[in-house]
Amino acid sequence: MASPQTIYLAVSQAHTLSSTPETLQALSQQCRTAAKQTPSPDLILFPEAYIGGYPRGATFGAKVGSRDDEGREQYLNYFKDAVDLGDTPEGAGEKWVRRELEGQDGSGSGVRRGDGVREELELVARETGIFIVTGLVERAGGTLYCAVVYVCPKLGVIGKRRKVMPTGSERLVWGQGQPSSLRAVTTTIKGVKLTLAAAICWENYMPLLRHSLYSQNVNLYLAPTADQRDAWAPLMRTIACEGRCFVLSANQCHRKKDQPAWVYGEKSESEEFATRGGSCIVAPSGDMLKGPLWEEVDGMMMVGVDFDDCLRYRLDSDAAGSYSRNDSFKLIVNGLDISPPL
């Protein structure tokens, strides 16, 4: 019997730098450094809103019934740091993913869509051979979205999703994404088929959203987050056990002095942690493989795994198979067919 193929999964606890170009450069450098290691990661997950920034502590001058000029200036700076992926507010779906590759002059040089960040991520993935999943803040048609992109080394961006329900004050600056973007994507690494999908931060507290991912038979569940509470790790263990999948969760870790200046209107000098991290990797059994990683700035964790474990533990139960009694309970997602195959 052939030995299982080991896939190396990594999470990065990287933090957003003072500008989007600097953050992109840091992502590129981390991937290029990791690619030189033995073994090197096959896939890396970066945190929620890593490119563009999670606006922790920012008020945007908002009170119920009023906003102020200082807050509008804060929002202007935040908006300008967001990424233009060349998509529409409605989300172009497959049309956007499989954008026209031919140049307008027929040269085959390609047409850049948006501000070039998409192409930069594709270049890093291609040159390092690492499948990159990263959170980012996307701007489209005057609205900001908290999004995640899946970047394949061979095919480039093969999917993107937008957070469907921003939490609390996030709703002030982020729009609601499309449920259709919950579609899982597939890739093959070292001959192993992976079905992966992301739930962003507190979307993981939405049981029906979790089930929409389980129903697509995901074996790699991605949870980029900004949640630094001790309660987060038990949730990740529950999801891994519930869905019989590997779970990766990545959060930022940095001190207040390293927050982008636009957050407070001026540069902070505080050594206090703005966010403590807590990134982790969990097995389909619910066992913690790595982490939670606390108070380690720009930390990275990696484990080698056997994806057959996802099947081994389905002997006991699985969230979307026969154990779920899908003959009796149904979930409908607007714009996304999650019905089991006939």
Side-chain angles (χ1 to χ4, degrees), residues 1 8 27 120 163 170 179 244:
M1 183 176 178
Y8 291 93
L27 179 149
E120 178 65 23
K163 193 173 189 177
E170 293 172 358
R244 298 309 190 189

Side-chain angles (χ1 to χ4, degrees), residues 70 72 75 99 109 111 116 126 132 179 203 242 255 278-279:
E70 184 178 345
R72 296 183 194 282
Y75 180 72
R99 76 219 189 281
S109 58
V111 179
R126 184 169 63 250
I132 298 170
E203 286 185 329
E242 192 173 65
R255 302 178 189 277
S279 304

Side-chain angles (χ1 to χ4, degrees), residues 59 61-67 169 172:
T59 66
K63 298 178 182 178
V64 175
S66 68
R67 268 68 55 197
S169 297
L172 176 68

Side-chain angles (χ1 to χ4, degrees), residues 300-318:
M300 180 180 254
M301 300 181 296
M302 183 176 73
V303 296
V305 305
D306 173 11
F307 271 88
D308 280 348
D309 281 349
C310 298
L311 300 177
R312 292 185 178 100
Y313 282 98
R314 291 188 183 192
L315 173 66
D316 307 311
S317 68
D318 62 294

Side-chain angles (χ1 to χ4, degrees), residues 56-61 69-71 73-75 77-78 256 259-268:
R56 185 181 301 278
T59 66
F60 298 100
D69 289 341
E70 184 178 345
E73 196 68 22
Q74 193 176 42
Y75 180 72
N77 293 330
Y78 187 52
K256 287 185 177 179
Q259 285 269 85
W262 56 259
V263 173
Y264 300 108
E266 60 183 15
K267 192 69 174 176
S268 172

Side-chain angles (χ1 to χ4, degrees), residues 11-16 30 37 45-47 50 228 249-255 258 271-280 290-302:
V11 295
S12 171
Q13 205 158 263
H15 68 282
T16 305
Q30 187 163 65
Q37 298 174 354
L45 173 67
F46 289 86
Y50 173 53
Q228 58 177 329
S249 183
N251 193 7
Q252 299 192 39
C253 179
H254 59 86
R255 302 178 189 277
D258 295 320
E271 293 285 344
E272 182 183 351
F273 276 99
T275 177
R276 301 169 50 234
S279 304
C280 60
K290 287 281 187 177
L293 186 64
W294 297 113
E295 297 186 358
E296 185 170 328
V297 177
D298 293 333
M300 180 180 254
M301 300 181 296
M302 183 176 73

Side-chain angles (χ1 to χ4, degrees), residues 29 40 51 71 83 89 98 110 124 136 140 145 151 205 214 267 284:
Q29 185 59 50
S40 62
I51 303 173
V83 174
R98 304 184 185 282
V124 175
L136 52 81
Y145 298 95
V151 192
Y205 286 110
Y214 301 151
K267 192 69 174 176

